[in-house]
Amino acid sequence: MKKRVKENCIKGKSTPALIILMASAPSWSTPDIEGRVMLDYHLYEGVHNDNEPGSEWLIRRARLGVEHSEGNWEGALEVEFDNEERSVEIKNANLTYEGWETVKVAIGKMKEPFSLEKRTSSLDISTLERSMVTDWFSPGRSIGAVVTEERSGYNWSAGMFRASEDEHGLDTYAATGQAALSPVNRPGAVVHLGISASVRDLDGDAREANEPMEIPPGNKIIETPEISLDDVASFSLEGALVAGPWSLQAEWLTQKSSGYLGEAVTLQDYDFSGYYVLGSYFLTGESRVYDGGSFDRPDPLGTSGAWELVARYGQIDLTDVAGGTFAESVLVGVNWYINENAKVAANLSVADVEGSNSDESGRGEAFSLRWQYEF
């Protein structure tokens, strides 16, 4: 009998105490897990592969990330798995304060705010790869801090980032920013006009162009010789128009730099430039989605998904230095947005390259397929 009374007393005291303890404990929101997988198949020839036919399957991107919001703060961490190199890279690791109505402040590793096409996620661009112009002239992800303001008629971002380090191991810095007007900004109708700029102190850091031309497994034919750069200033003008199922997007980019070519002892100035023009049309009636100075993918109107036709022309001129490349590219493609998570895309491209030698000059053709999924 005593044992039963003791058990009842324990139950009578512990249950309210447990309820009080649970009620007083802090409430935490659940982190969001997200990821993306892009599987490519490329068939290419000509200048992309030493004038021989070639093909390759490629895991273009495999990323996994987590985001968590609590109050006015948001933290994000994203890593990318490289199947070829058997490595893992941190793509994003940042903390953002969102306590003001239209202004956000972020610190950590993130994409620098430069170029409309670069700011648009690889999940949401209308071609498999960004233009060679955007890839070469735009800074990538860096550690720094950035302030962003977004309103219905305009948006801007400005930040300071780590650029390199000097001979003593001290960091050098870059200032990067963009500003855009969107006087028309409603579903199915957008006008975007913007500029971007980035100024970088590299303190003699040796850099060179050595990239494939919009075909990741292809030969690295976008080239310049190695230059020990002191200062680099990049600038872009960008514009976009959405009118129902039609869209047009274009950017002109230029880069001015000063540095020493090879073993030269005289400081020289270099001026590189390029541009692209991209157009698309949705056969199923959707429109490209504009959000805060970049584009997002459309939501299909029907159960059969959204179908988009796309075409792009691009040109890059790196010939202000001996051994630099001049190249042009024409691309046509089709995108099938199966739903808000899955996409299948196909691109057919033709390149014309004038390189530093005959092996890296001439015509190249490529056919590329991508299966893409985001969660």
Side-chain angles (χ1 to χ4, degrees):
M1 185 70 178
K2 290 182 180 179
K3 185 177 181 180
R4 185 178 299 170
V5 171
K6 186 176 180 181
E7 289 176 350
N8 288 341
C9 290
I10 291 173
K11 290 179 181 178
K13 290 181 180 180
S14 64
T15 302
L18 180 61
I19 293 173
I20 293 171
L21 180 62
M22 293 175 65
S24 61
S27 176
W28 300 98
S29 59
T30 303
D32 295 322
I33 306 297
E34 58 185 31
R36 70 185 70 176
V37 177
M38 298 178 182
L39 176 63
D40 287 7
Y41 173 74
H42 298 275
L43 181 65
Y44 47 94
E45 62 180 12
V47 72
H48 294 300
N49 197 49
D50 300 325
N51 294 311
E52 297 289 339
S55 64
E56 187 165 340
W57 289 91
L58 178 69
I59 299 177
R60 181 64 178 91
R61 291 181 180 88
R63 295 183 187 175
L64 187 63
V66 59
E67 291 185 353
H68 183 264
S69 298
E70 193 66 42
N72 295 322
W73 295 90
E74 179 180 277
L77 174 65
E78 183 182 41
V79 297
E80 181 167 72
F81 304 92
D82 190 319
N83 185 58
E84 300 295 323
E85 300 293 333
R86 299 292 193 270
S87 63
V88 178
E89 178 188 359
I90 295 176
K91 301 298 287 187
N92 295 299
N94 51 71
L95 181 66
T96 304
Y97 179 73
E98 301 176 331
W100 297 295
E101 183 178 357
T102 60
V103 177
K104 298 185 292 185
V105 179
I107 186 169
K109 185 177 182 180
M110 68 200 88
K111 188 183 293 186
E112 295 188 32
F114 188 95
S115 168
L116 173 60
E117 190 178 41
K118 193 71 171 182
R119 295 194 307 274
T120 298
S121 169
S122 60
L123 290 164
D124 304 323
I125 57 177
S126 296
T127 54
L128 267 69
E129 298 295 326
R130 295 183 177 92
S131 166
M132 58 184 170
V133 182
T134 304
D135 269 346
W136 199 80
F137 286 104
S138 301
R141 288 176 165 83
S142 306
I143 295 175
V146 64
V147 179
T148 300
E149 181 177 14
E150 296 180 7
R151 292 183 179 270
S152 60
Y154 68 88
N155 62 83
W156 62 269
S157 301
M160 292 291 295
F161 299 90
R162 182 186 182 277
S164 184
E165 62 180 38
D166 64 17
E167 59 183 342
H168 305 294
L170 295 175
D171 290 340
T172 63
Y173 292 92
T176 304
Q178 62 82 213
L181 297 175
S182 49
V184 179
N185 183 8
R186 60 181 184 272
V190 174
V191 174
H192 167 99
L193 299 170
I195 58 172
S196 301
S198 181
V199 180
R200 317 182 79 79
D201 176 15
L202 298 181
D203 196 56
D205 195 5
R207 301 287 177 94
E208 63 181 332
N210 188 29
E211 302 293 335
M213 188 174 172
E214 301 173 0
I215 308 297
N219 287 347
K220 296 180 178 181
I221 51 180
I222 303 299
E223 292 187 314
T224 66
E226 187 175 277
I227 305 172
S228 298
L229 294 169
D230 276 355
D231 302 296
V232 175
S234 302
F235 180 77
S236 79
L237 294 175
E238 58 193 46
L241 174 69
V242 175
W246 297 91
S247 77
L248 184 66
Q249 176 179 323
E251 292 189 73
W252 173 79
L253 300 96
T254 184
Q255 185 181 97
K256 300 181 183 298
S257 59
S258 59
Y260 301 89
L261 178 62
E263 300 298 324
V265 295
T266 303
L267 187 69
Q268 301 179 52
D269 294 328
Y270 303 98
D271 191 350
F272 306 130
S273 63
Y275 68 92
Y276 74 87
V277 180
L278 179 146
S280 76
Y281 175 73
F282 280 93
L283 298 170
T284 45
E286 292 82 2
S287 299
R288 294 186 75 192
V289 178
Y290 182 79
D291 182 21
S294 62
F295 282 101
D296 206 343
R297 86 206 70 176
D299 292 325
L301 296 175
T303 56
S304 60
W307 288 85
E308 179 188 27
L309 301 179
V310 61
R312 183 179 69 197
Y313 172 80
Q315 182 186 108
I316 190 169
D317 186 353
L318 306 178
T319 59
D320 199 40
V321 61
T325 299
F326 177 87
E328 297 175 285
S329 174
V330 177
L331 176 150
V332 293
V334 59
N335 298 311
W336 178 29
Y337 301 87
I338 302 171
N339 51 46
E340 63 179 10
N341 301 102
K343 174 184 173 182
V344 178
N347 287 177
L348 180 65
S349 63
V350 178
D352 189 11
V353 183
E354 297 177 18
S356 57
N357 57 65
S358 58
D359 293 336
E360 297 171 345
S361 299
R363 181 184 172 97
E365 296 85 22
F367 174 72
S368 304
L369 282 171
R370 172 171 295 168
W371 293 264
Q372 171 181 305
Y373 191 81
E374 179 199 18
F375 59 90

